[in-house]
Amino acid sequence: MNPPGRGKAGACTVNVTPDSGSIWGGRTFRRNTEEESDLLAHAVVFTDGVETGAIVSADLTMIDRPHALRFRELAASRSGIPASNVSIGATHTHVAPGLAPCWIVIDTAGPDSEYAAWALDVMASAVARAAEDLRPAVLAAGVAPTSGLTFNRRFLRPDGGVDMVFSPDRDRANPPAGPADPDLGYWLFEEPDGAPIALVTSFSAHNHVVGGSPALGRSERDVFHRDFGGRFGDVVRRRTGSAIPTVYLAGACGNTSWQDPDVDPPMDGSAAAWRIGTSLADAWESHCKTAARRPIENLRFASRTVEIPDRPLSESRFCDDFCRGRDEAIQSFDRIRWPAEEAVIRARGETASMVDVGAIGMSGTAISTNPAELFVEFGLDIKERSPFDVTLISELTNGWCGYVPTEEAFEQGGYETHRSVHVSRLAKSAGGTIADLCVDALEECFT
């Protein structure tokens, strides 16, 4: 047990909005002049007096492993925190830059190198400023239940295949193909007198209600936006009356969505972002009021790196199952996208991905990190097997290795299982491997 009363925390928020530029998908975006929706990065640094760590969330679509490694090195150099104790996660808003290559056809340029260098520099400086801001702190941690905010986005057809929730052909009588995870996990750092320092949360639903999803009747967005994960933080700041940084971690949400399958897709994504963000803030605020405050102690870090092979052609499908709908506009786009992906995969031959997973344990609670768009089944499994009472999942963290479905999902097909160069690539057994490594890292932090 570490000496009591040595726990401290500090935090910082920085703006990472480019003036203009292309996001993944090739569309050119601009800063929003109609409503304040800049892209933000939130950093929190915490220490028990022996170990020190940092967590950053950035309003980016994804961050690949090389960029994540570079950020961690920069943050370590400027803050003195070991790079292995620094984590960075993307909130996965779809109307933001992505620091990773994506689709072969519609994202040929890849990440903007000048923007990437600038954003990494700004975010590393945020970690240093948070470390300079360290002050005595306590921790409130818990799991707040929510309702009607996240749903499985895959639906089983009678033929054993799946339709996506946004498919215009979807039969609403068909059942969901898997579970959802409605729990909102959180870490709140406060000064001993109750003044807020930073809030870290984890929730399982694709953070793309504003744009980047094929909601019927919605026009394409052309402005950057931090989406409902960002609006959640905005509501928290309004209610606390402070500029508290709000680290938003994507839970295991590779197959979960904010879209209620029994309700027509919302026409106004900006309004929906406020609605969802407000509901998340309601759930957190109600639960946190009675959560016990704990000293910051027993801070532990663990990590695992594994090379996972990509799926061979013999085990790959290329969008031949109409999961997104039989509409001609959808099909014509797929006829452009998927043959290009297959051609590049054939030319490259056998490939593999380096995957980093990790764990942070503190005061009887934990955060489990992975770089996948992980199916919710694996997130639930990790939390069930975790030795900690409270475990937050943070996917799209310290890298990006694409969708990681269950082996059952591969049998069903569907968008997330279709083989591509970057977006869905790992071996069918990868989810089990990642979950086992995550649990192993959690157990190391618990001992």
Side-chain angles (χ1 to χ4, degrees), residues 90-92 181 183 201-206 248-256 368 370 372-376 379 383 392-397:
T91 65
H92 204 50
D181 181 359
D183 288 341
T201 57
S202 167
F203 187 63
S204 170
H206 253 72
Y248 181 85
L249 307 176
C253 57
N255 57 337
T256 60
S368 173
N370 72 83
E373 290 189 56
L374 197 65
F375 267 36
V376 67
K383 290 197 283 188
L392 282 62
I393 304 295
S394 181
E395 69 167 31
L396 293 162
T397 300

Side-chain angles (χ1 to χ4, degrees), residues 34-294:
E34 289 75 41
E35 63 168 332
E36 199 292 294
S37 56
D38 278 358
L39 308 178
L40 305 176
H42 304 279
V44 59
V45 171
F46 41 89
T47 181
D48 64 355
V50 178
E51 294 280 356
T52 303
I55 303 172
V56 176
S57 72
D59 288 326
L60 302 170
T61 310
M62 72 282 284
I63 306 168
D64 65 14
R65 188 169 185 264
H67 284 105
L69 290 172
R70 175 60 178 157
F71 164 77
R72 297 169 87 184
E73 291 172 350
L74 282 172
S77 174
R78 296 180 188 180
S79 68
I81 302 169
S84 59
N85 293 7
V86 178
S87 290
I88 182 166
T91 65
H92 204 50
T93 172
H94 279 31
V95 281
L99 299 193
C102 194
W103 294 107
I104 293 297
V105 171
I106 58 177
D107 190 35
T108 54
D112 182 323
S113 59
E114 290 187 8
Y115 172 74
W118 172 79
L120 297 180
D121 177 79
V122 168
M123 293 188 294
S125 294
V127 174
R129 287 161 58 188
E132 293 170 355
D133 184 49
L134 284 171
R135 62 199 113 142
V138 294
L139 176 71
V143 177
T146 73
S147 178
L149 299 180
T150 183
F151 308 86
N152 199 287
R153 70 182 196 178
R154 293 161 52 88
F155 293 84
L156 279 174
R157 298 194 302 248
D159 64 3
V162 298
D163 288 323
M164 307 304 294
V165 69
F166 298 108
S167 170
D169 317 34
R170 181 174 64 84
D171 184 345
R172 292 190 178 183
N174 291 340
D181 181 359
D183 288 341
L184 173 69
Y186 65 88
W187 278 0
L188 173 67
F189 295 94
E190 291 179 326
E191 295 187 46
D193 65 0
I197 298 173
L199 175 64
V200 180
T201 57
S202 167
F203 187 63
S204 170
H206 253 72
N207 186 36
H208 69 4
V209 70
V210 173
S213 60
L216 299 177
R218 180 186 299 157
S219 60
E220 291 281 8
R221 299 285 298 188
D222 65 352
V223 292
F224 298 114
H225 202 289
R226 52 184 176 263
D227 222 285
F228 71 76
R231 291 303 186 217
F232 173 24
D234 293 336
V235 176
V236 169
R237 280 182 284 278
R238 287 180 179 180
R239 292 184 179 179
T240 60
S242 73
I244 174 176
T246 51
V247 175
Y248 181 85
L249 307 176
C253 57
N255 57 337
T256 60
S257 170
W258 44 268
Q259 178 62 59
D260 186 333
D262 296 323
V263 176
D264 288 334
M267 297 300 103
D268 187 345
S270 295
W274 279 114
R275 176 181 59 79
I276 297 170
T278 300
S279 295
L280 288 171
D282 289 343
W284 167 73
E285 187 175 36
S286 174
H287 193 276
C288 191
K289 284 179 180 178
T290 58
R293 272 48 181 174
R294 323 168 182 222

